[in-house]
Amino acid sequence: MTERGTLGVAVIGTGKMGADHVRRVHEVTSGARVSAVVDLDADRAKQVAARVDGCTAHTDMASAMAASDVDAVLIASSGPAHESALLLALEHDLPVLCEKPLTPDAASALRVLQAEQALGHRRVQVGFMRRFDAEYVKLKSCLDTGQLGRPLMLHNRHRNAASPPFFTSSMLISDSVAHETDVTRWLLGQEITAVTVLRPTPSANAPDGLQDPQFVVLETEGGALSDVEIFVNCGFGYQVQAEVVCERGTARIGDGHAMVTSMAGRWGGTIAQDFVERFADAYDREVQAWVDATRRGEVTGPSVWDGYAAAAVCEAGVRSLNDGGRVPVELVERPALYG
Amino acid sequence: MTERGTLGVAVIGTGKMGADHVRRVHEVTSGARVSAVVDLDADRAKQVAARVDGCTAHTDMASAMAASDVDAVLIASSGPAHESALLLALEHDLPVLCEKPLTPDAASALRVLQAEQALGHRRVQVGFMRRFDAEYVKLKSCLDTGQLGRPLMLHNRHRNAASPPFFTSSMLISDSVAHETDVTRWLLGQEITAVTVLRPTPSANAPDGLQDPQFVVLETEGGALSDVEIFVNCGFGYQVQAEVVCERGTARIGDGHAMVTSMAGRWGGTIAQDFVERFADAYDREVQAWVDATRRGEVTGPSVWDGYAAAAVCEAGVRSLNDGGRVPVELVERPALYG
Amino acid sequence: MTERGTLGVAVIGTGKMGADHVRRVHEVTSGARVSAVVDLDADRAKQVAARVDGCTAHTDMASAMAASDVDAVLIASSGPAHESALLLALEHDLPVLCEKPLTPDAASALRVLQAEQALGHRRVQVGFMRRFDAEYVKLKSCLDTGQLGRPLMLHNRHRNAASPPFFTSSMLISDSVAHETDVTRWLLGQEITAVTVLRPTPSANAPDGLQDPQFVVLETEGGALSDVEIFVNCGFGYQVQAEVVCERGTARIGDGHAMVTSMAGRWGGTIAQDFVERFADAYDREVQAWVDATRRGEVTGPSVWDGYAAAAVCEAGVRSLNDGGRVPVELVERPALYG
Amino acid sequence: MTERGTLGVAVIGTGKMGADHVRRVHEVTSGARVSAVVDLDADRAKQVAARVDGCTAHTDMASAMAASDVDAVLIASSGPAHESALLLALEHDLPVLCEKPLTPDAASALRVLQAEQALGHRRVQVGFMRRFDAEYVKLKSCLDTGQLGRPLMLHNRHRNAASPPFFTSSMLISDSVAHETDVTRWLLGQEITAVTVLRPTPSANAPDGLQDPQFVVLETEGGALSDVEIFVNCGFGYQVQAEVVCERGTARIGDGHAMVTSMAGRWGGTIAQDFVERFADAYDREVQAWVDATRRGEVTGPSVWDGYAAAAVCEAGVRSLNDGGRVPVELVERPALYG
């Protein structure tokens, strides 16, 4: 690793997802840097590399993985290109974050599994990002406390405003419901043992020939049922909802609320217990915004004038509290610096 | 700045807030590092510094601000200590993020204002972190679109489960309502011209002699009213709510929902339009979790087995879609590596 | 009273509210009938009376109250006409339901009070209908259980889409906030001891010269505060909201939800415990719809065909439950009678 | 019919549902009276009849239906007893409201269907009361406007806190899901063509041997899917939810909210447009409460004192509005009459 243990990452693929991951590692992630990018399209690779100081561009995965400042690999190329990238990274014994799907079919996924087993230790994390979503994390935590009892059913809704032109009926399963297969396995901690796909009459707004929506029933080894409405031309937006039905209550996410449980005669959610919990993200964003502006040589955010005005208002407030009645706030004239 | 422009930060104060900011800059923030910590308590400073490679401990602000790897200052000491730290940082012409309050009273705030004016350019950001909270940011954006018309009133609720033992009646204003004074000024873009504090009968759960709750009415130069319920011994949790009432509708945050507007005969909120918007945070957390685990030499998150199982379920799903009926899912035996 | 104790009601005033009350007593209320209507406008009185079998029309309250089939009086004339109607009804010792306001000012209300006292027993119910609203009733019940502790503050919102042309700034208080004065007294069980009305800058959508919105603070003898936002040209609809803040939690109504409480770390509402509670209103409406249709000589609602189809589907369902798999539903051809 | 067209109703069955219907017709319904009750248990019939002036008790349906003051029949006996009651009522050509199920199986339902057809006109309304529930009515109206487009899927949840001891696995279908079969047919306006019942692992809280929960998939002639979670030992309460997924949006009821739609980038509900819409039920309940109290010789509800206090507060409010500042409210001493 580089100085102070910063992780050098090679990003494979610089399309939409890849470029976004380059931006993320570069601007958002703490403790990592983009050391190399790889794309068969040399121009695109160069353009993306140029945005990051010290990042090299490659058309060949092998040269990137061999570079001395590459400690880990983030695979964001198209699904069919994953297998060879994964096998090569395992050959180099490099840590990998691989966008979903691992590979497009079970046979190729099995080959990757065998390669990692041959290596003898885990190296690969698959990009099922819902496991990191705040709402899903809360749902999982709630289940893990056991307060709702054993899960019996899971109802999933997965809706996209519109599907891209290349989308096929099979891709509603392999590209979209793929997320719910992982969510089901992860939330319930059980393997899926059978699948049934039902075909309601397609929406008139779906492209000709596309079976959209579909209704999928997943059965698990523990006897739970997980049903999935997948509807990729719903028209009104992107909506992902999940409700777990347990022996003593249900928990639901995705309604434009925080998680809502139904339990012991009441529905509702939790209230934060302190400002650290409520405003944790705000503090993170505040400090990041300050660092970003400072590195750009700028000063943004609330100013000394804002701090002064707050102090003056609070002083007036304390006087009103102590003496009663309405107290005017006196401010000096606002300096041009804070115009 | 250090290599690759990483910002070296000196954190003044290593109490609860200071230590949390050290953790934040060290583990969460991209592009910054903690170069120095300062505390009158030398042991505490050393303990906190020891958590960060290359971080030095100081009991003297001046030595920290003079250090060559300090590019910026984060002030998290107690309010009365802010003025001297701010003046010294301005003397060194260093960028500052200063926890709220800027200073405890208007006179000292004015001295800081004059020092920054004398310097001739802005250097200080005040820590009103609500301006960085996702819900408040949405509320501000909504107002700024003008779709609701001009703001007429702002209703604020600010509730804590219980107040700390040292809390006085005045601190409900100067420590708590301080946030609403900034929120009012920021959301409405207007200075506050008068304050009235009303005193309902205190709660039996408030400490003896504490005037809790209080009801505060702020008037602005534009003729808007902003009322604040401050209740620091509400018992049930930490709850911050705000509703702006405008000429054509209202917008409200803090109900355990996303922002809800009432407008044109409907109440409700927006639906995300794509997965990037919906899962942006999840991607950020996923990559950070991968980087963190990798730097610790661990592999966590979804495994190759999870990727393989998803592929196998999706294959069965596509077969059910095409052929109809229930299709069993066949998996190889789970290797011990993924046990 | 008439046969079987049906209450004969004289309705005073046949304007919008009066005519609606005539319809209500005639078609909705059990155990009462409209025996007489009174209006200075003889034609209007006759028209309204003509809708009810056996109802007589009067221009003179005295003749109506003297009629042998009049057991009670419902006053729905304009506010200034209430006093004389109330005094006359008390003279006849007749039970009265009087639309709000009792009378337009305190002096005349006091005269009515004295007349009822002179009579020696209560005869008059005032039409503060919010006390009969399901949400307010739940809020009151919740307070009365004591689970939230003593009420400290009450926040009220009262919004109308637009005010009628004759509305004055004073009427926002005497016509609109009148409801919140009663709600405050009823919910808190305390008299109001002082009022402060604040005047934010009026909305551009309010008629010229109308002080709209207003913000009203009511103080009670127990030291509670009740604030009221009254905004009669809010543009988007009619919205009535109330939140009681108590020593151990809050309860809120009017958000397009059922009542929501915040208490002990959770926000949310109650879940019905059985179908009688959940569908009580549905049963009432079902039977009323059946009676109404039958009296008109009609048959509406779910038919025998609907009952037959349900039976056939359930039979197929039970077969699927017992034997597994998909079971087709067989129906006879739908007879023309149920077309 | 009796005087003024009041409908004389014979109630068949005086168990829990029957007795409740007797109470409803007697106390709630306008324009009807209970003329006769029928039960094989003569004592129970007599007890129930005794609660209603002029109501006769019968052990024999035929004598009740032949009574001169019986104009209509409400069947609330057990399901297996419905067929004979229905056939007899049709023989008398009497209007019938028959509790669900019409009869327990399709063959007997068909016999009733044929009897009504032979009569040549409809006489029977089946007690699917959800069609009269305010939330379902809104959902139906929303679908009927066409704003959401054609319905594609319907998701139903039907949960009871606990099942009675006699409940069998088949009854989850024939007694509980029976409601969703009617809801599906009514909301979508389509017959159901096939049923599949899936059996997740039963809850540990369900009685031994009871298959609870079940997951039911209904297919309709138009190609829509309606899925039903039926869970009669969910433990936490009675919960009935429905979401219709259409080509341009979804609409959902039963979440402890009013109906929520997702459409055109927004989720949410409607706001009432005036007080008549918002408080219609409150007015109905107010007048009924007044009539009921008056018939009992009592005076309840808001008193003249309440009217006087409101007038005094509003007067003070108008003074504060006009003159500014806080205005004390002056009340005379509260008379003992209103103690």
Side-chain angles (χ1 to χ4, degrees), chain C residues 47-127:
Chain C
Q47 276 169 24
V48 171
R51 293 176 206 154
V52 181
D53 266 7
C55 174
T56 55
H58 306 251
T59 54
D60 170 23
M61 295 190 295
S63 75
M65 294 195 198
S68 65
D69 60 352
V70 167
D71 308 306
V73 178
L74 197 167
I75 301 175
S77 48
S78 68
H82 286 188
E83 182 182 359
S84 58
L86 284 158
L87 294 176
L88 192 63
L90 289 172
E91 222 169 87
H92 283 81
D93 201 9
L94 284 170
V96 177
L97 175 59
C98 179
E99 265 301 318
K100 67 139 277 253
L102 180 68
T103 66
D105 56 79
S108 53
L110 199 52
R111 288 191 292 270
V112 175
L113 190 82
Q114 287 159 346
E116 193 176 41
Q117 274 187 275
L119 190 62
H121 51 245
R122 281 192 57 196
R123 272 306 193 191
V124 180
Q125 174 177 329
V126 182

Side-chain angles (χ1 to χ4, degrees), chain A residues 106 116 197 284 315 320 338, chain B residues 24 106 116 197 284 315 320 338:
Chain A
E116 193 176 42
V197 179
D284 289 355
E315 275 192 22
S320 173
Y338 311 105
Chain B
R24 180 170 289 109
E116 192 175 42
V197 178
D284 289 355
E315 275 192 22
S320 172
Y338 310 104

Side-chain angles (χ1 to χ4, degrees), chain B residues 206-226:
Chain B
D208 257 17
L210 191 72
Q211 174 58 51
D212 181 37
Q214 300 175 22
F215 191 74
V216 180
V217 180
L218 307 171
E219 303 169 36
T220 74
E221 57 188 355
L225 285 185
S226 174

Side-chain angles (χ1 to χ4, degrees), chain C residues 244-268:
Chain C
V244 187
V245 180
C246 300
E247 290 184 330
R248 286 196 294 278
T250 80
R252 200 161 79 183
I253 59 169
D255 298 307
H257 297 248
M259 186 177 70
V260 169
T261 59
S262 290
M263 193 173 31
R266 292 186 61 79
W267 62 268

Side-chain angles (χ1 to χ4, degrees), chain C residues 194-219:
Chain C
V195 190
T196 310
V197 178
L198 301 169
R199 312 172 59 133
T201 300
S203 169
N205 298 323
D208 258 17
L210 192 71
Q211 175 58 53
D212 181 37
Q214 300 176 23
F215 191 75
V216 181
V217 180
L218 307 170
E219 303 168 38

Side-chain angles (χ1 to χ4, degrees), chain B residues 43 63 80-81 93 102 132 199 206 221 250 271 296 308 325 327:
Chain B
D43 285 348
S63 75
D93 201 9
L102 180 67
F132 298 90
R199 312 172 58 134
E221 57 188 355
T250 80
I271 301 172
R296 290 193 313 267
Y308 161 68
V327 176

Side-chain angles (χ1 to χ4, degrees), chain A residues 140-156:
Chain A
K140 175 71 169 156
S141 303
C142 177
L143 292 176
D144 289 351
T145 64
Q147 63 184 311
L148 297 177
R150 193 167 50 93
L152 304 169
M153 287 174 289
L154 172 59
H155 306 304
N156 303 277

